[in-house]
């Protein structure tokens, strides 16, 4: 304990390190015992000596560990997965931007993780060298769990140093009559080993301590075969995976024609959908179905396209639907609210943050366009395009998918006349829109004419909204859609 407290003082630590790193240190004058005690935490090693009746020359004192990767004397810092958002308990590791042994700078991206809500880059708080990567892409990492370890020049503050020193283990070795103490005994367990994250994960699956596995790779690197052979020696497996795979390939064509069941782990947005739909199942829904004549909307879209001079902009029906929805919400604010079940309070939201349900390769996600009431149709078009682009490449930010007040589900873009959506809690309403199709309609004089008709289905939280409120809202929205020129009268 005394040695540890002395070592924690920066000036003493630097003096010890310089003394240990000198090419040759001769211990003369007072007699020094030939027994050397090595103290090691995850920062740097040092020696302590006591008097005896023998003298010797100390040629150098150092540790050479594969996991430390020639790290400086400052220390190794654990980099945990920080809190990425409210209520987030775990994230999926998508990919690494660094490898073991890489030199990194402050704020340099280390990896990319995905929570239930967004994809986030984790950056480095320190300048140093990557010592050890603890997880492989695809792993589920708990918040607070260590992602990797970085060797730094100096420990940032005493608190982190003292935390690391609590993990200190002492190593003792006898060198009777020996004058060379340049290495640690071969069987000593060190903080890490040289291996890939995939090999560590394989050892973890077999319940093995990776430091116990004999290494046969170059420079003492542990290979996949080393883990498998060690597991066989321990009796954990009876045959190598290669043999098992070969036998399986010989048998599988004879059983069921090669068809097998598969288990898929739900990740990212799919996990978020499980949670949100479980909450939605507790909400008493009621549905209101209406048909909208979109002839004027079709003509308006053609006009936008004809006058479009920007090849980056593609005009669709959706921005006009979003803007007209916002206009109707202005006179029916109860549909743009949130319900607090515990306090029996309804929060009327001032901003119209309209969410758009999007099907992506990574699952269903609902980013929202902020402050629609203050945006033009062109601005909505550009923002919608940005959200669709980022959703496709899994780059939506937490702000993009949080703070929604009402949701649109454009199921008609894929197919179907209409759907029965589930509310995205704590919102109180969601609207599913079917595809626009040509159907025969009767005019007031009895003549039949083709009309472009879209069916919408409003799902409402019956604890907050009643049928009359939703019907009046739909009537106003229908007027803006069937006569889009009225939008000009109400646009601020």
């Amino acid at each position: 304990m005394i040695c540890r407290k002395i070592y924690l003082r920066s000036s003493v630590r630097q003096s010890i390190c310089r003394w240990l790193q000198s090419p040759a240190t001769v211990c003369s004058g007072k007699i020094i015992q030939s027994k050397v005690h090595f103290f090691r935490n995850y920062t740097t090693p040092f020696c302590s000596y006591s008097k005896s009746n023998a003298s010797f020359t100390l040629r150098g004192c150092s540790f050479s560990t594969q996991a430390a990767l020639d790290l400086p004397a400052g220390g190794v810092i654990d980099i945990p997965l920080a809190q990425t958002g409210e209520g987030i308990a775990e994230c999926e590791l998508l990919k690494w931007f660094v490898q073991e042994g890489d030199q990194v700078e402050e704020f340099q991206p280390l990896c990319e993780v995905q929570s239930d809500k967004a994809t986030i880059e984790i950056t480095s708080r320190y300048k140093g060298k990557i010592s050890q990567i603890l997880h492989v892409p695809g792993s589920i990492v708990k918040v607070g769990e260590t992602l990797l370890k970085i060797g730094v020049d100096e420990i940032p503050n005493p608190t982190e140093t003292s935390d690391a020193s609590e993990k200190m283990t002492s190593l003792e070795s006898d060198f009777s009559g020996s004058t060379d103490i340049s290495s640690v005994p071969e069987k000593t367990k060190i903080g890490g080993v040289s291996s890939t994250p995939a090999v560590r994960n394989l050892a973890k699956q077999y319940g093995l301590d990776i430091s116990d596995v004999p290494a046969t790779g170059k420079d003492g690197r542990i290979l996949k075969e080393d883990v498998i052979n060690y597991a066989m020696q321990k009796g954990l497996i009876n045959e190598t995976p290669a043999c098992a795979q070969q036998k399986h390939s010989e048998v599988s064509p004879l059983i069921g024609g090669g068809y097998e069941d598969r288990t898929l782990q739900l990740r990212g947005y799919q996990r978020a959908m499980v949670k949100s739909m479980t909450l939605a199942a507790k909400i008493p829904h009621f549905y209101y179905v209406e048909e909208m004549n979109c002839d004027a909307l079709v003509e308006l879209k053609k006009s936008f396209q004809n006058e479009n001079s920007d090849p980056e902009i593609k005009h669709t029906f959706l921005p006009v639907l979003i803007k007209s929805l916002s206009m109707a919400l202005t006179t029916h604010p109860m549909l743009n609210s949130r319900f607090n079940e515990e306090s029996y309070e309804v929060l009327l939201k001032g901003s119209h943050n309209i969410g758009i349900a999007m099907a992506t390769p990574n699952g269903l996600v609902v980013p929202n366009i902020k402050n629609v009431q203050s945006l033009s149709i062109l601005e909505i078009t550009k923002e919608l395009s940005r959200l669709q682009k980022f959703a496709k490449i899994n780059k939506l930010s937490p702000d993009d998918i949080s703070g929604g007040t009402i949701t649109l589900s454009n199921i008609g873009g894929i197919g179907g006349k209409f759907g029965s959506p589930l509310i995205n809690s704590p919102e109180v309403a969601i609207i599913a829109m079917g595809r626009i199709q040509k159907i025969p309609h009767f005019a007031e004089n009895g003549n039949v004419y083709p009309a472009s008709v879209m069916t919408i289905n409003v799902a409402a939280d019956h604890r907050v909204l009643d049928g009359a409120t939703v019907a009046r809202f739909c009537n106003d929205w229908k007027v803006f859609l069937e006569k889009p020129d009225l939008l000009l009268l109400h646009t601020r």
Side-chain angles (χ1 to χ4, degrees), residues 224-272:
K224 177 181 178 181
E225 292 77 12
D226 299 333
V227 176
I228 294 173
N229 293 334
Y230 188 68
M232 291 178 64
Q233 294 175 10
K234 292 290 185 179
L236 300 177
I237 53 178
N238 297 324
E239 56 185 1
T240 62
C243 296
Q245 185 176 4
Q246 182 178 1
K247 291 182 179 180
H248 179 74
S249 63
E250 293 174 356
V251 177
S252 59
L254 304 177
I255 303 175
Y259 298 103
E260 298 179 353
D261 296 337
R262 293 190 302 158
T263 300
L264 298 179
Q265 184 70 38
L266 297 183
R267 304 285 176 89
Y269 296 144
Q270 292 178 318
R271 285 195 172 201

Side-chain angles (χ1 to χ4, degrees), residues 343-360:
S343 61
Y344 287 84
E345 292 178 343
V346 177
L347 176 62
L348 303 181
K349 302 295 289 185
S351 299
H352 298 167
N353 300 339
I354 299 179
I356 311 297
M358 298 181 182
T360 74

